[in-house]
Amino acid sequence: QAAVECILWPVFVQLACRERPHCAAIVAASNQLLTGTDMRDPASWYPKARAMQRTLVFHMGPTNSGKTFQSLNRLQSAASGVYAAPLRLLAMEVWDRCNQAGAYCSLVTGQERREVPFAEHVACTVEMVDVNKVVDVGVIDEIQMMSDSLRGWAWTRALYGLPARELHLCGDPTALPLIRKAASNLGDRLEVQTYKRLTPLHLAPRPLPSYADVQAGDCIVAFSRRDIFDIRAEIEATTSHRCAVVYGALPPETRRQQAKLFNDVTSGFDVLVASDAVGMGLNLNIRRIIFHAMDKYGERGKKKEPVPAAQVKQIAGRAGRHGTEWDTGWVTTRFAADLPKLCESLSEPPAPAAAAGLFPVTDQVTAFATAKPESSLKEVMEMFLGHASICEEFFMCACPDLLKTA
């Protein structure tokens, strides 16, 4: 039946346009909309990057393996460059590092912009990458996030669109198939550098008996703001330890100050209570990761779901940072029932990422909205997403906050 429809439909359209002249305008408008929502060739969205012969360098390895350190050394030695961070706090860390090393660097995030005179480097959050400015070296951190269902589009955009002569990608091995495919599609040269963890990481045989048993260098990871503050209150009420707090909704300067307090051995803040933000490459001197829970509310916030194994590994790997007083990392849970789940997550083989996230660029939405002047922005976005066509190596990211704002 489908084959018959494919044959007969063009004949029917041709006949309708001949017999009913007004149908021609309808068909033309429909074809224009379909063309405008064609997202099967994202490489063509970024002409500056396509005009270059780029070299992609994939620094592939687990957490605490030195891959980002090596990439940043190359960035600082370049005449110009950009660092794309998964978090504002991480962008600020690199901004600090570059300026202290004499590689003058500006900061651009969704919340702030700090222009440094004569700066040829930029540290930014990945969503703020400028795809129109040519640089010598680019660094995209946590590249495996391009398969994230909400924010993956930003990493895909940076990978496909950043006009950098050398583009350094830092991430775990799950991203390799997508990076190989991208390099082939884009005609870019690809180098893969493999890293091993620099310090050992051990699973503790027992859970933490109580929060009265925390020790200096511990980081308790919780997945709700209420739990974070309840845990901090319990620790400070039952021990002599003081707790720093890091979570996503904190203002950037506050998060930065809290991280500095925890890393400073003279501050008195020797325990950290944090959200899963600690898994995103923050430089924190953690001895032991303690999971308060092994489940969290899903994307829609309606029900709790198990924390993905890849995220568990990412968070656990932050213990035992190379170059600090903690030369061995430990990981455990607060509750005994969660310890087998942690063990299972840590031993689960990594699953290669199957697809990269996409989201329409501004020009595409604007052109589509022009054809629908009577529709609201939310209606335009919903119609665009409903009509969009993409290849199997990509998926459309869910952006509920954007639609809600629209």
Side-chain angles (χ1 to χ4, degrees), residues 16 63 67 136 221 290 301 354:
T63 53
K67 55 187 185 295
D136 290 322
V221 177
I290 302 163

Side-chain angles (χ1 to χ4, degrees), residues 247-271:
Y247 60 92
L250 274 178
E253 282 294 344
T254 305
R255 271 186 293 170
R256 186 182 183 196
Q257 182 63 25
Q258 291 290 301
K260 281 187 173 182
L261 285 173
F262 177 68
N263 284 339
D264 182 357
V265 295
T266 66
S267 70
F269 288 81
D270 56 0
V271 172

Side-chain angles (χ1 to χ4, degrees), residues 352-363:
L358 284 181
F359 204 72
V361 296
T362 304
D363 290 347

Side-chain angles (χ1 to χ4, degrees), residues 25-38:
I26 297 174
V27 171
S30 177
N31 287 338
Q32 183 181 358
L33 290 178
L34 290 175
T35 301
T37 57
D38 188 346

Side-chain angles (χ1 to χ4, degrees), residues 20-202:
R20 299 286 190 271
H22 69 280
C23 289
I26 297 174
V27 171
S30 177
N31 287 338
Q32 183 181 358
L33 290 178
L34 290 175
T35 301
T37 57
D38 188 346
M39 300 180 65
R40 291 174 293 181
D41 184 22
S44 65
W45 302 349
Y46 310 105
K48 284 201 173 181
R50 298 294 75 75
M52 304 173 67
Q53 178 60 60
R54 303 188 306 173
T55 296
L56 307 183
V57 183
F58 181 29
H59 300 264
M60 181 176 72
T63 53
N64 273 319
S65 59
K67 55 187 185 295
T68 303
F69 177 81
Q70 296 297 334
S71 300
L72 292 178
N73 283 345
R74 180 66 189 97
L75 177 71
Q76 289 173 195
S77 67
S80 62
V82 59
Y83 169 74
L87 296 172
R88 289 186 292 267
L89 187 55
L90 197 50
M92 293 178 77
E93 282 188 9
V94 172
W95 173 71
D96 266 342
R97 169 178 167 163
C98 287
N99 284 305
Q100 289 174 9
Y104 297 125
C105 183
S106 295
L107 176 70
V108 179
T109 74
Q111 291 184 332
E112 64 183 321
R113 182 181 294 265
R114 298 185 186 182
E115 300 285 352
V116 174
F118 312 111
E120 293 294 337
H121 292 72
V122 175
C124 62
T125 43
V126 68
E127 287 86 352
M128 302 301 291
V129 164
D130 186 349
V131 295
N132 294 308
K133 183 180 179 181
V134 176
V135 294
D136 290 322
V137 172
V139 176
I140 306 175
D141 213 347
E142 306 294 353
I143 187 63
Q144 73 278 355
M145 285 288 290
M146 64 181 163
S147 61
D148 183 76
S149 61
L150 295 178
R151 298 177 65 203
W153 64 270
W155 276 266
T156 305
R157 173 178 173 271
L159 171 60
Y160 276 65
L162 185 54
R165 296 176 182 88
E166 280 182 36
L167 186 55
H168 293 257
L169 314 170
C170 305
D172 66 42
T174 61
L176 183 58
L178 290 182
I179 292 172
R180 287 196 189 279
K181 184 72 173 176
S184 175
N185 289 343
L186 302 174
D188 291 331
R189 179 170 169 262
L190 175 63
E191 299 176 7
V192 179
Q193 298 182 7
T194 304
Y195 295 74
K196 293 183 179 180
R197 186 177 168 88
L198 297 173
T199 59
L201 178 66
H202 300 297

Side-chain angles (χ1 to χ4, degrees), residues 324-390:
T324 70
E325 60 184 306
W326 314 120
D327 57 0
T328 298
W330 291 88
V331 58
T332 188
T333 60
R334 167 62 185 86
F335 299 103
D338 287 328
L339 198 57
K341 301 175 189 176
L342 174 60
C343 180
E344 182 180 348
S345 294
L346 294 177
S347 59
E348 183 176 310
L358 284 181
F359 204 72
V361 296
T362 304
D363 290 347
Q364 290 172 312
V365 176
T366 301
F368 189 85
T370 302
K372 295 284 184 180
E374 73 286 352
S375 302
S376 67
L377 178 57
K378 181 180 181 181
E379 291 170 338
V380 166
M381 291 299 302
E382 289 175 340
M383 283 188 287
F384 188 105
L385 298 177
H387 285 85
S389 54
I390 57 177

